[in-house]
Amino acid sequence: MRGEPGTRSDVNEAAWLVETETATVAEVDSAVKFELGLPMGCFELLDQIGIDVAVDLIRYTEQAIGAGYEPCPTLVEKVSNEAYGQKSGEGFYHYDDGGKVEVPADAGTDEIASRLVAVAVNEAAKLVVNDVSTLDNIDEAVILGAGFPDGLTALAAERGFDRIYETLQKLAEETHKSRYEPSPRLAYWARDVSSESVEAEPDGGV
């Protein structure tokens, strides 16, 4: 899925927000477009790439990483109902009138945006600590692939690595889901690293 790691983790997390009635589709997409400045909301993107394709990729992640990364039931239900998005004429939006989606500019909240950023940054931290990628490469991927204006690192620094860490800790405690457990590298960033030196290697290799 384009723009990884932010895109794949965010679309599943967006669906969990709706599944748990924490937010609506309109609120999530409004937050993504108008709070974070991305060109498409998570549900717009899901409809464009195909919800079935997204579910397959999320299931691959679950198989590779383990429990806690399962696709949200909201997405699975859409696939079961053959509501794949634009290609089927209906997904999270309806495409009977030419496919134009109207996302309200004022429905999103900073809380929704912060949660989505936190999940994406945590996945990036896991890639870095496991030597799968670097933050520079991740930033390039999300800028070119998902249209992040300044990359994931800048977005995280703007919101604060400490705040991101606290958001994830709270989610992990409330849900007992492993996907919210903060990466040791994120804990290091939150504690010791300025935004200018976030690529620095911590002692102990965390």
Side-chain angles (χ1 to χ4, degrees):
M1 191 180 296
R2 65 184 187 176
E4 292 191 295
T7 305
R8 181 171 55 192
S9 58
D10 276 0
V11 294
N12 202 34
E13 186 61 24
W16 280 111
L17 283 166
V18 173
E19 174 76 17
T20 57
E21 299 184 351
T22 304
T24 65
V25 169
E27 287 168 345
V28 171
D29 277 1
S30 180
V32 171
K33 292 188 76 168
F34 301 105
E35 293 284 336
L36 299 180
L38 272 65
M40 300 182 75
C42 289
F43 295 104
E44 284 186 280
L45 179 59
L46 277 163
D47 277 2
Q48 183 182 86
I49 63 175
I51 300 168
D52 54 331
V53 174
V55 167
D56 285 345
L57 287 166
I58 294 165
R59 281 182 170 145
Y60 175 81
T61 302
E62 182 186 15
Q63 291 170 0
I65 299 176
Y69 286 83
E70 70 276 4
C72 177
T74 296
L75 300 179
V76 176
E77 182 179 3
K78 289 289 185 185
V79 175
S80 297
N81 293 333
E82 299 184 354
Y84 303 131
Q86 289 184 10
K87 63 186 177 184
S88 65
E90 178 184 353
F92 288 100
Y93 295 96
H94 294 272
Y95 298 94
D96 298 332
D97 56 352
K100 184 173 178 59
V101 171
E102 296 291 342
V103 176
D106 57 354
T109 66
D110 182 71
E111 182 179 1
I112 295 169
S114 293
R115 177 163 164 173
L116 293 171
V117 169
V119 170
V121 171
N122 200 36
E123 293 305 309
K126 292 173 185 177
L127 293 178
V128 172
V129 78
N130 290 318
D131 294 323
V132 175
S133 187
T134 66
L135 279 178
D136 283 344
N137 288 340
I138 291 168
D139 280 342
E140 182 178 10
V142 298
I143 289 170
L144 297 178
F148 278 56
D150 300 307
L152 195 56
T153 305
L155 200 58
E158 177 185 331
R159 291 180 174 271
F161 287 100
D162 55 344
R163 180 183 173 193
I164 288 170
Y165 182 79
E166 290 168 4
T167 296
L168 290 164
Q169 273 196 316
K170 182 179 178 181
L171 286 167
E173 290 170 0
E174 290 174 349
T175 66
H176 305 289
K177 295 291 187 181
S178 60
R179 66 177 174 272
Y180 297 125
E181 291 290 342
S183 163
R185 182 62 61 93
L186 179 58
Y188 167 71
W189 292 339
R191 185 181 67 247
D192 296 326
V193 182
S194 69
S195 61
E196 291 79 11
S197 58
V198 72
E199 282 279 18
E201 182 69 24
D203 294 336
V206 297

